[in-house]
PDB file of all heavy atoms in Angstrom:
ATOM      1  N   MET F  13      77.759 114.623  96.675  1.00 47.00           N
ATOM      2  CA  MET F  13      78.427 113.560  97.385  1.00 47.00           C
ATOM      3  C   MET F  13      79.449 114.183  98.312  1.00 47.00           C
ATOM      4  O   MET F  13      80.378 114.862  97.873  1.00 47.00           O
ATOM      5  CB  MET F  13      79.101 112.632  96.358  1.00 47.00           C
ATOM      6  CG  MET F  13      79.963 111.597  96.965  1.00 47.00           C
ATOM      7  SD  MET F  13      80.680 110.591  95.639  1.00 47.00           S
ATOM      8  CE  MET F  13      81.899 109.777  96.587  1.00 47.00           C
ATOM      9  N   GLY F  14      79.318 113.965  99.575  1.00 48.00           N
ATOM     10  CA  GLY F  14      80.292 114.521 100.516  1.00 48.00           C
ATOM     11  C   GLY F  14      81.410 113.532 100.744  1.00 48.00           C
ATOM     12  O   GLY F  14      81.272 112.341 100.642  1.00 48.00           O
ATOM     13  N   HIS F  15      82.549 114.070 101.037  1.00 46.00           N
ATOM     14  CA  HIS F  15      83.722 113.225 101.316  1.00 46.00           C
ATOM     15  C   HIS F  15      83.856 112.993 102.787  1.00 46.00           C
ATOM     16  O   HIS F  15      83.818 113.906 103.597  1.00 46.00           O
ATOM     17  CB  HIS F  15      84.996 113.913 100.781  1.00 46.00           C
ATOM     18  CG  HIS F  15      86.191 113.022 100.864  1.00 46.00           C
ATOM     19  ND1 HIS F  15      86.259 111.814 100.216  1.00 46.00           N
ATOM     20  CD2 HIS F  15      87.351 113.171 101.483  1.00 46.00           C
ATOM     21  CE1 HIS F  15      87.436 111.253 100.468  1.00 46.00           C
ATOM     22  NE2 HIS F  15      88.127 112.065 101.265  1.00 46.00           N
ATOM     23  N   LEU F  16      83.977 111.756 103.201  1.00 45.00           N
ATOM     24  CA  LEU F  16      83.897 111.383 104.599  1.00 45.00           C
ATOM     25  C   LEU F  16      85.168 111.755 105.392  1.00 45.00           C
ATOM     26  O   LEU F  16      85.137 111.868 106.593  1.00 45.00           O
ATOM     27  CB  LEU F  16      83.694 109.866 104.727  1.00 45.00           C
ATOM     28  CG  LEU F  16      82.362 109.324 104.127  1.00 45.00           C
ATOM     29  CD1 LEU F  16      82.327 107.815 104.232  1.00 45.00           C
ATOM     30  CD2 LEU F  16      81.182 109.960 104.816  1.00 45.00           C
ATOM     31  N   GLY F  17      86.257 111.954 104.716  1.00 47.00           N
ATOM     32  CA  GLY F  17      87.534 112.206 105.402  1.00 47.00           C
ATOM     33  C   GLY F  17      87.634 113.604 106.049  1.00 47.00           C
ATOM     34  O   GLY F  17      88.499 113.836 106.867  1.00 47.00           O
ATOM     35  N   GLY F  18      86.756 114.488 105.717  1.00 44.00           N
ATOM     36  CA  GLY F  18      86.791 115.816 106.310  1.00 44.00           C
ATOM     37  C   GLY F  18      87.700 116.746 105.581  1.00 44.00           C
ATOM     38  O   GLY F  18      87.447 117.912 105.485  1.00 44.00           O
ATOM     39  N   LYS F  19      88.837 116.275 105.048  1.00 61.00           N
ATOM     40  CA  LYS F  19      89.788 117.101 104.339  1.00 61.00           C
ATOM     41  C   LYS F  19      89.230 117.296 102.923  1.00 61.00           C
ATOM     42  O   LYS F  19      88.568 116.433 102.380  1.00 61.00           O
ATOM     43  CB  LYS F  19      91.110 116.368 104.283  1.00 61.00           C
ATOM     44  CG  LYS F  19      92.241 117.161 103.673  1.00 61.00           C
ATOM     45  CD  LYS F  19      93.506 116.359 103.730  1.00 61.00           C
ATOM     46  CE  LYS F  19      94.651 117.168 103.091  1.00 61.00           C
ATOM     47  NZ  LYS F  19      95.892 116.403 103.104  1.00 61.00           N
ATOM     48  N   ASP F  20      89.484 118.425 102.353  1.00 90.00           N
ATOM     49  CA  ASP F  20      88.939 118.684 101.015  1.00 90.00           C
ATOM     50  C   ASP F  20      89.483 117.686 100.035  1.00 90.00           C
ATOM     51  O   ASP F  20      90.706 117.507  99.898  1.00 90.00           O
ATOM     52  CB  ASP F  20      89.347 120.133 100.600  1.00 90.00           C
ATOM     53  CG  ASP F  20      88.718 120.472  99.272  1.00 90.00           C
ATOM     54  OD1 ASP F  20      87.584 120.974  99.282  1.00 90.00           O
ATOM     55  OD2 ASP F  20      89.358 120.252  98.240  1.00 90.00           O
ATOM     56  N   ILE F  21      88.601 117.058  99.311  1.00 94.00           N
ATOM     57  CA  ILE F  21      88.969 115.988  98.353  1.00 94.00           C
ATOM     58  C   ILE F  21      89.835 116.476  97.235  1.00 94.00           C
ATOM     59  O   ILE F  21      90.687 115.785  96.769  1.00 94.00           O
ATOM     60  CB  ILE F  21      87.702 115.254  97.855  1.00 94.00           C
ATOM     61  CG1 ILE F  21      88.100 113.941  97.167  1.00 94.00           C
ATOM     62  CG2 ILE F  21      86.928 116.157  96.904  1.00 94.00           C
ATOM     63  CD1 ILE F  21      86.994 112.976  97.036  1.00 94.00           C
ATOM     64  N   TYR F  22      89.687 117.756  96.880  1.00 94.00           N
ATOM     65  CA  TYR F  22      90.508 118.301  95.805  1.00 94.00           C
ATOM     66  C   TYR F  22      91.921 118.632  96.305  1.00 94.00           C
ATOM     67  O   TYR F  22      92.891 118.556  95.471  1.00 94.00           O
ATOM     68  CB  TYR F  22      89.827 119.487  95.123  1.00 94.00           C
ATOM     69  CG  TYR F  22      88.500 119.061  94.499  1.00 94.00           C
ATOM     70  CD1 TYR F  22      87.287 119.282  95.096  1.00 94.00           C
ATOM     71  CD2 TYR F  22      88.524 118.327  93.322  1.00 94.00           C
ATOM     72  CE1 TYR F  22      86.094 118.881  94.497  1.00 94.00           C
ATOM     73  CE2 TYR F  22      87.336 117.871  92.729  1.00 94.00           C
ATOM     74  CZ  TYR F  22      86.142 118.150  93.361  1.00 94.00           C
ATOM     75  OH  TYR F  22      84.986 117.652  92.770  1.00 94.00           O
ATOM     76  N   GLN F  23      92.064 118.876  97.557  1.00 93.00           N
ATOM     77  CA  GLN F  23      93.438 119.011  98.131  1.00 93.00           C
ATOM     78  C   GLN F  23      94.094 117.635  98.142  1.00 93.00           C
ATOM     79  O   GLN F  23      95.293 117.524  97.802  1.00 93.00           O
ATOM     80  CB  GLN F  23      93.390 119.619  99.484  1.00 93.00           C
ATOM     81  CG  GLN F  23      93.030 121.065  99.522  1.00 93.00           C
ATOM     82  CD  GLN F  23      92.959 121.657 100.914  1.00 93.00           C
ATOM     83  OE1 GLN F  23      93.028 120.931 101.895  1.00 93.00           O
ATOM     84  NE2 GLN F  23      92.876 122.975 100.958  1.00 93.00           N
ATOM     85  N   GLU F  24      93.344 116.611  98.523  1.00 93.00           N
ATOM     86  CA  GLU F  24      93.873 115.258  98.454  1.00 93.00           C
ATOM     87  C   GLU F  24      94.295 114.857  97.060  1.00 93.00           C
ATOM     88  O   GLU F  24      95.353 114.262  96.865  1.00 93.00           O
ATOM     89  CB  GLU F  24      92.859 114.261  98.992  1.00 93.00           C
ATOM     90  CG  GLU F  24      92.616 114.388 100.473  1.00 93.00           C
ATOM     91  CD  GLU F  24      91.641 113.328 100.965  1.00 93.00           C
ATOM     92  OE1 GLU F  24      91.842 112.140 100.659  1.00 93.00           O
ATOM     93  OE2 GLU F  24      90.665 113.716 101.671  1.00 93.00           O
ATOM     94  N   LEU F  25      93.457 115.205  96.069  1.00 92.00           N
ATOM     95  CA  LEU F  25      93.798 114.923  94.685  1.00 92.00           C
ATOM     96  C   LEU F  25      95.029 115.680  94.262  1.00 92.00           C
ATOM     97  O   LEU F  25      95.920 115.139  93.585  1.00 92.00           O
ATOM     98  CB  LEU F  25      92.618 115.262  93.785  1.00 92.00           C
ATOM     99  CG  LEU F  25      92.779 114.990  92.286  1.00 92.00           C
ATOM    100  CD1 LEU F  25      93.139 113.511  92.004  1.00 92.00           C
ATOM    101  CD2 LEU F  25      91.544 115.405  91.533  1.00 92.00           C
ATOM    102  N   GLY F  26      95.150 116.908  94.666  1.00 90.00           N
ATOM    103  CA  GLY F  26      96.346 117.697  94.329  1.00 90.00           C
ATOM    104  C   GLY F  26      97.608 117.083  94.918  1.00 90.00           C
ATOM    105  O   GLY F  26      98.657 117.022  94.286  1.00 90.00           O
ATOM    106  N   HIS F  27      97.532 116.537  96.116  1.00 89.00           N
ATOM    107  CA  HIS F  27      98.643 115.857  96.743  1.00 89.00           C
ATOM    108  C   HIS F  27      98.991 114.559  96.029  1.00 89.00           C
ATOM    109  O   HIS F  27     100.160 114.205  95.903  1.00 89.00           O
ATOM    110  CB  HIS F  27      98.420 115.627  98.250  1.00 89.00           C
ATOM    111  CG  HIS F  27      98.430 116.882  99.070  1.00 89.00           C
ATOM    112  ND1 HIS F  27      99.551 117.646  99.204  1.00 89.00           N
ATOM    113  CD2 HIS F  27      97.409 117.518  99.699  1.00 89.00           C
ATOM    114  CE1 HIS F  27      99.251 118.708  99.956  1.00 89.00           C
ATOM    115  NE2 HIS F  27      97.966 118.668 100.283  1.00 89.00           N
TER     116      HIS F  27
END
Side-chain angles (χ1 to χ4, degrees):
M13 174 180 167
H15 186 60
L16 300 176
K19 186 176 179 183
D20 185 87
I21 195 161
Y22 297 103
Q23 288 179 351
E24 290 183 50
L25 181 57
H27 290 294

